[in-house]
Amino acid sequence: MKSSFPLLNVAALSCALFGASQAVAQDTDLVVYNAQHETLTKAWIAGFTQDTGIKVTLRNGDDTEMANQLVQEGAKSPADVFLTENSPAMMLVQNAGLFAPVAPSTLEQVGAPYRPAQGKWVAIAARSTVFVYNKEKLAADKLPASMLDLAQPAWKGRWGASPAGADFQAIVAAVLALKGEPATLEWLKGLKANATVYRGNSAVLKAVNAGQVEGGVIYHYYSYVDQAKTGENSKNTSLHYFKHQDPGAFVSQSGGGVLASSKHQEQAQALLKWITGPKGQAILKTGNSFEYAVGQGAASNPKLVPLAELDAPTVDVSKLDSKKVVELMNQAGLL
Ligand SMILES: [Fe+2]
């Protein structure tokens, strides 16, 4: 009898002290499986929560890992929203029938190329493929005209890539969509013969900057992000945009989708609407992510080469085939 009183008191006290701020999950709280860069997603979430009061828990991983987890969990997944770096992971989840349609008002907020035909997910940001090169090691007039040239014997031992990453695999998916299977396999075999393999785009950038290789295939923002910090891993480098609708000018779309199994459809849709809306897209312009904005009329960071100048190839992102990419990369001995 005696002991129950102090226990009760402790419980009562802790309720009084922490009741309001206790981290008890509310019915409207969202769980986001996040494969986008964590800093960018955190900035989006902070703005969204401030505007709506809806709290969000992030679970971070990479594109492929999180997409596979969603497929495995199926309708039992605790996830309400999925955000990625690239679209092949979105397609993996879409093809498993796990997405609810994106609200039409959200789709309308983004530019026409950034709404995949079926409307099961929407682009939230975009990134361009680039060839980063060491300015002392490689003269501007000796740059490859096409990314596909990097498979030629002349490029043996001179460039690097991070083939295990989802970023690079999205680029391979674009090559596959544009050039077909035999040409892609040929290119991958050339990559295997010529390229030094690194783990992650930052490692590629670092190696190029240090002169270990003359150049590397990465996304543009790795260099801008480094420049915005100390520039120590990019100071000796410059970016070459392939343009001319080359496969190496591929612009990859980061995606967002609402899981059909989510019990918070309204809140989950509101998050996608916020990210693709003026405030969410403004974070791309003013923040340090250096990814491109995709909202109608939304400006990207003025430091970037404008999206319209990149002369990117037209790629139907809903046809990007990540399974075939992995198969071909295995065949070429890259994975
Ligand atoms: Fe990335």
Side-chain angles (χ1 to χ4, degrees):
M1 282 300 282
K2 254 185 175 178
S3 63
S4 68
F5 284 104
L7 273 176
L8 262 175
N9 286 342
V10 169
L13 185 68
S14 69
C15 269
L17 283 176
F18 306 113
S21 62
Q22 223 167 11
V24 173
Q26 297 295 305
D27 219 26
T28 54
D29 288 0
L30 293 175
V31 172
V32 172
Y33 278 18
N34 176 51
Q36 242 296 349
H37 292 209
E38 207 179 323
T39 340
L40 172 58
T41 301
K42 277 187 171 163
W44 275 332
I45 296 304
F48 172 72
T49 302
Q50 196 175 21
D51 279 3
T52 63
I54 300 166
K55 294 204 178 80
V56 178
T57 303
L58 287 187
R59 298 202 185 160
N60 298 298
D62 71 22
D63 281 5
T64 321
E65 177 190 359
M66 301 244 87
N68 286 334
Q69 192 175 333
L70 282 167
V71 171
Q72 209 162 45
E73 291 170 346
K76 290 196 184 76
S77 176
D80 298 293
V81 172
F82 184 33
L83 302 176
T84 64
E85 276 205 80
N86 300 284
S87 46
M90 300 306 293
M91 290 314 298
L92 212 76
V93 176
Q94 177 180 322
N95 292 337
L98 297 172
F99 280 138
V102 175
S105 57
T106 298
L107 291 171
E108 281 161 19
Q109 289 192 126
V110 300
Y114 305 109
R115 305 172 215 151
Q118 302 88 346
K120 292 286 192 178
W121 57 273
V122 65
I124 54 174
R127 50 267 301 288
S128 175
T129 314
V130 292
F131 185 71
V132 59
Y133 66 99
N134 186 302
K135 289 180 285 187
E136 280 131 50
K137 292 233 154 195
L138 189 58
D141 62 351
K142 298 281 189 301
L143 286 165
S146 165
M147 183 177 72
L148 302 183
D149 292 350
L150 295 168
Q152 290 167 6
W155 281 95
K156 195 171 172 65
R158 296 172 57 197
W159 65 286
S162 171
D167 285 352
F168 191 82
Q169 290 181 17
I171 299 171
V172 178
V175 176
L176 178 63
L178 292 162
K179 298 287 168 186
E181 211 177 307
T184 304
L185 183 59
E186 228 20 64
W187 185 70
L188 290 172
K189 284 179 177 167
L191 194 168
K192 171 74 180 170
N194 291 352
T196 306
V197 166
Y198 295 95
R199 191 145 191 89
N201 284 337
S202 302
V204 176
L205 176 65
K206 230 173 166 169
V208 172
N209 187 63
Q212 288 170 23
V213 279
E214 291 171 44
V217 174
I218 59 172
Y219 282 148
H220 75 282
Y221 55 80
Y222 283 92
S223 171
Y224 287 94
V225 167
D226 188 68
Q227 288 285 310
K229 290 178 184 164
T230 60
E232 63 176 330
N233 294 318
S234 60
K235 59 181 186 295
N236 306 320
T237 69
S238 194
L239 296 183
H240 170 48
Y241 291 86
F242 288 102
K243 300 189 176 178
H244 309 292
Q245 290 158 48
D246 188 75
F250 170 61
V251 171
S252 182
Q253 298 184 13
S254 303
V258 171
L259 279 305
S261 56
S262 164
K263 296 192 174 59
H264 314 109
Q265 289 294 324
E266 200 184 309
Q267 293 80 9
Q269 292 286 351
L271 175 58
L272 275 196
K273 187 161 193 177
W274 196 94
I275 290 173
T276 52
K279 287 185 180 175
Q281 295 296 293
I283 286 175
L284 292 166
K285 181 187 168 198
T286 55
N288 278 340
S289 71
F290 294 100
E291 296 193 42
Y292 285 100
V294 293
Q296 298 265 28
S300 295
N301 192 310
K303 286 185 178 157
L304 301 179
V305 179
L307 209 43
E309 285 175 26
L310 298 180
D311 198 9
T314 306
V315 175
D316 181 350
V317 290
S318 62
K319 300 237 161 69
L320 295 184
D321 187 345
S322 54
K323 282 182 184 160
K324 184 55 94 183
V325 164
V326 170
E327 197 185 305
L328 292 175
M329 290 181 80
N330 270 317
Q331 242 175 293
L334 283 162
L335 297 177

Short mmCIF file of all heavy atoms in Angstrom, two decimals, residues 74-104:
data_model
loop_
_atom_site.label_atom_id
_atom_site.label_comp_id
_atom_site.label_asym_id
_atom_site.label_seq_id
_atom_site.Cartn_x
_atom_site.Cartn_y
_atom_site.Cartn_z
N GLY A 74 5.20 -3.83 -47.62
CA GLY A 74 3.88 -3.79 -48.24
C GLY A 74 2.91 -2.91 -47.47
O GLY A 74 3.28 -1.86 -46.95
N ALA A 75 1.66 -3.36 -47.39
CA ALA A 75 0.62 -2.56 -46.75
C ALA A 75 0.85 -2.38 -45.25
O ALA A 75 0.22 -1.53 -44.62
CB ALA A 75 -0.74 -3.21 -46.99
N LYS A 76 1.77 -3.14 -44.68
CA LYS A 76 2.04 -3.02 -43.24
C LYS A 76 3.06 -1.94 -42.92
O LYS A 76 3.38 -1.70 -41.77
CB LYS A 76 2.56 -4.36 -42.71
CG LYS A 76 1.51 -5.46 -42.68
CD LYS A 76 2.00 -6.61 -41.77
CE LYS A 76 1.03 -7.76 -41.78
NZ LYS A 76 1.14 -8.57 -43.02
N SER A 77 3.58 -1.30 -43.94
CA SER A 77 4.64 -0.30 -43.71
C SER A 77 4.15 0.84 -42.83
O SER A 77 3.04 1.33 -43.00
CB SER A 77 5.12 0.26 -45.04
OG SER A 77 6.07 1.28 -44.80
N PRO A 78 4.99 1.29 -41.90
CA PRO A 78 4.62 2.46 -41.10
C PRO A 78 4.80 3.77 -41.88
O PRO A 78 4.43 4.84 -41.40
CB PRO A 78 5.61 2.41 -39.94
CG PRO A 78 6.79 1.67 -40.46
CD PRO A 78 6.27 0.70 -41.51
N ALA A 79 5.35 3.68 -43.09
CA ALA A 79 5.65 4.90 -43.85
C ALA A 79 4.39 5.54 -44.41
O ALA A 79 3.49 4.87 -44.89
CB ALA A 79 6.60 4.58 -45.00
N ASP A 80 4.35 6.87 -44.33
CA ASP A 80 3.26 7.64 -44.96
C ASP A 80 3.73 8.24 -46.28
O ASP A 80 2.96 8.33 -47.23
CB ASP A 80 2.82 8.78 -44.03
CG ASP A 80 2.27 8.25 -42.71
OD1 ASP A 80 1.20 7.61 -42.75
OD2 ASP A 80 2.91 8.44 -41.67
N VAL A 81 4.99 8.66 -46.30
CA VAL A 81 5.53 9.35 -47.48
C VAL A 81 6.92 8.79 -47.78
O VAL A 81 7.67 8.42 -46.86
CB VAL A 81 5.62 10.88 -47.21
CG1 VAL A 81 6.36 11.61 -48.33
CG2 VAL A 81 4.22 11.47 -47.03
N PHE A 82 7.25 8.72 -49.07
CA PHE A 82 8.59 8.30 -49.49
C PHE A 82 9.22 9.42 -50.31
O PHE A 82 8.58 9.93 -51.25
CB PHE A 82 8.46 7.02 -50.34
CG PHE A 82 9.77 6.41 -50.79
CD1 PHE A 82 10.92 6.47 -50.00
CD2 PHE A 82 9.85 5.72 -52.00
CE1 PHE A 82 12.12 5.89 -50.41
CE2 PHE A 82 11.05 5.12 -52.42
CZ PHE A 82 12.17 5.22 -51.63
N LEU A 83 10.42 9.82 -49.95
CA LEU A 83 11.16 10.85 -50.70
C LEU A 83 12.49 10.26 -51.15
O LEU A 83 13.18 9.61 -50.36
CB LEU A 83 11.43 12.07 -49.81
CG LEU A 83 10.23 12.78 -49.18
CD1 LEU A 83 10.70 13.91 -48.25
CD2 LEU A 83 9.27 13.33 -50.23
N THR A 84 12.84 10.51 -52.41
CA THR A 84 14.08 9.92 -52.92
C THR A 84 15.02 10.96 -53.51
O THR A 84 14.66 12.12 -53.69
CB THR A 84 13.80 8.90 -54.05
OG1 THR A 84 13.23 9.60 -55.15
CG2 THR A 84 12.89 7.80 -53.59
N GLU A 85 16.20 10.46 -53.90
CA GLU A 85 17.16 11.27 -54.67
C GLU A 85 16.88 11.12 -56.16
O GLU A 85 17.14 12.02 -56.94
CB GLU A 85 18.58 10.79 -54.39
CG GLU A 85 19.22 11.37 -53.15
CD GLU A 85 20.72 11.37 -53.26
OE1 GLU A 85 21.27 12.27 -53.92
OE2 GLU A 85 21.36 10.46 -52.70
N ASN A 86 16.42 9.93 -56.55
CA ASN A 86 16.25 9.62 -57.98
C ASN A 86 14.96 8.84 -58.21
O ASN A 86 14.43 8.22 -57.29
CB ASN A 86 17.44 8.77 -58.46
CG ASN A 86 18.76 9.50 -58.29
OD1 ASN A 86 19.08 10.40 -59.05
ND2 ASN A 86 19.51 9.14 -57.25
N SER A 87 14.51 8.87 -59.47
CA SER A 87 13.21 8.27 -59.75
C SER A 87 13.16 6.74 -59.88
O SER A 87 12.09 6.17 -59.67
CB SER A 87 12.59 8.91 -60.98
OG SER A 87 13.53 9.02 -62.02
N PRO A 88 14.27 6.04 -60.23
CA PRO A 88 14.12 4.57 -60.31
C PRO A 88 13.55 3.95 -59.02
O PRO A 88 12.76 3.00 -59.08
CB PRO A 88 15.54 4.09 -60.60
CG PRO A 88 16.16 5.22 -61.37
CD PRO A 88 15.60 6.45 -60.72
N ALA A 89 13.92 4.48 -57.87
CA ALA A 89 13.40 3.95 -56.60
C ALA A 89 11.90 4.21 -56.48
O ALA A 89 11.15 3.38 -55.94
CB ALA A 89 14.14 4.56 -55.42
N MET A 90 11.45 5.35 -57.01
CA MET A 90 10.01 5.64 -56.99
C MET A 90 9.27 4.62 -57.85
O MET A 90 8.19 4.15 -57.49
CB MET A 90 9.70 7.05 -57.53
CG MET A 90 10.33 8.20 -56.80
SD MET A 90 10.00 8.27 -55.03
CE MET A 90 8.26 8.58 -54.95
N MET A 91 9.86 4.29 -59.00
CA MET A 91 9.21 3.36 -59.91
C MET A 91 9.12 1.96 -59.32
O MET A 91 8.17 1.22 -59.56
CB MET A 91 9.92 3.34 -61.26
CG MET A 91 9.75 4.60 -62.07
SD MET A 91 8.04 5.23 -62.16
CE MET A 91 7.23 3.86 -63.00
N LEU A 92 10.12 1.60 -58.53
CA LEU A 92 10.12 0.29 -57.87
C LEU A 92 8.91 0.18 -56.95
O LEU A 92 8.20 -0.84 -56.93
CB LEU A 92 11.42 0.17 -57.05
CG LEU A 92 12.03 -1.20 -56.88
CD1 LEU A 92 12.74 -1.60 -58.18
CD2 LEU A 92 13.05 -1.19 -55.74
N VAL A 93 8.63 1.24 -56.23
CA VAL A 93 7.49 1.26 -55.30
C VAL A 93 6.18 1.40 -56.07
O VAL A 93 5.18 0.74 -55.75
CB VAL A 93 7.67 2.40 -54.26
CG1 VAL A 93 6.47 2.49 -53.34
CG2 VAL A 93 8.94 2.17 -53.45
N GLN A 94 6.19 2.22 -57.11
CA GLN A 94 4.99 2.37 -57.94
C GLN A 94 4.61 1.03 -58.59
O GLN A 94 3.44 0.63 -58.58
CB GLN A 94 5.21 3.42 -59.04
CG GLN A 94 3.99 3.54 -59.96
CD GLN A 94 4.16 4.57 -61.06
OE1 GLN A 94 4.75 5.63 -60.84
NE2 GLN A 94 3.65 4.28 -62.24
N ASN A 95 5.62 0.36 -59.13
CA ASN A 95 5.34 -0.91 -59.81
C ASN A 95 4.85 -2.00 -58.86
O ASN A 95 4.23 -2.96 -59.29
CB ASN A 95 6.57 -1.39 -60.59
CG ASN A 95 6.87 -0.48 -61.77
OD1 ASN A 95 5.97 0.22 -62.27
ND2 ASN A 95 8.12 -0.45 -62.21
N ALA A 96 5.13 -1.84 -57.58
CA ALA A 96 4.61 -2.78 -56.59
C ALA A 96 3.19 -2.39 -56.17
O ALA A 96 2.59 -3.02 -55.29
CB ALA A 96 5.54 -2.83 -55.37
N GLY A 97 2.66 -1.33 -56.76
CA GLY A 97 1.28 -0.90 -56.50
C GLY A 97 1.07 -0.27 -55.14
O GLY A 97 -0.02 -0.32 -54.59
N LEU A 98 2.13 0.33 -54.61
CA LEU A 98 2.05 0.79 -53.22
C LEU A 98 1.74 2.28 -53.05
O LEU A 98 1.54 2.75 -51.93
CB LEU A 98 3.35 0.45 -52.47
CG LEU A 98 3.66 -1.04 -52.35
CD1 LEU A 98 5.06 -1.26 -51.77
CD2 LEU A 98 2.62 -1.74 -51.48
N PHE A 99 1.70 3.02 -54.14
CA PHE A 99 1.44 4.46 -54.03
C PHE A 99 -0.03 4.81 -54.24
O PHE A 99 -0.71 4.24 -55.09
CB PHE A 99 2.24 5.24 -55.07
CG PHE A 99 3.69 5.49 -54.71
CD1 PHE A 99 4.68 5.36 -55.67
CD2 PHE A 99 4.05 5.87 -53.43
CE1 PHE A 99 6.03 5.59 -55.35
CE2 PHE A 99 5.38 6.10 -53.09
CZ PHE A 99 6.36 5.96 -54.06
N ALA A 100 -0.50 5.80 -53.48
CA ALA A 100 -1.81 6.42 -53.74
C ALA A 100 -1.57 7.51 -54.79
O ALA A 100 -0.46 8.04 -54.88
CB ALA A 100 -2.34 7.05 -52.45
N PRO A 101 -2.58 7.85 -55.58
CA PRO A 101 -2.37 8.93 -56.56
C PRO A 101 -2.02 10.25 -55.85
O PRO A 101 -2.54 10.53 -54.78
CB PRO A 101 -3.73 9.06 -57.26
CG PRO A 101 -4.52 7.86 -56.87
CD PRO A 101 -3.94 7.31 -55.59
N VAL A 102 -1.15 11.01 -56.47
CA VAL A 102 -0.80 12.33 -55.93
C VAL A 102 -1.97 13.28 -56.22
O VAL A 102 -2.53 13.26 -57.32
CB VAL A 102 0.50 12.86 -56.58
CG1 VAL A 102 0.81 14.28 -56.11
CG2 VAL A 102 1.66 11.93 -56.27
N ALA A 103 -2.31 14.12 -55.25
CA ALA A 103 -3.42 15.07 -55.43
C ALA A 103 -3.18 15.93 -56.67
O ALA A 103 -2.07 16.45 -56.85
CB ALA A 103 -3.53 15.96 -54.20
N PRO A 104 -4.21 16.09 -57.52
CA PRO A 104 -4.05 16.88 -58.76
C PRO A 104 -3.50 18.28 -58.51
O PRO A 104 -2.69 18.79 -59.28
CB PRO A 104 -5.47 16.94 -59.33
CG PRO A 104 -6.17 15.75 -58.75
CD PRO A 104 -5.55 15.50 -57.40
#
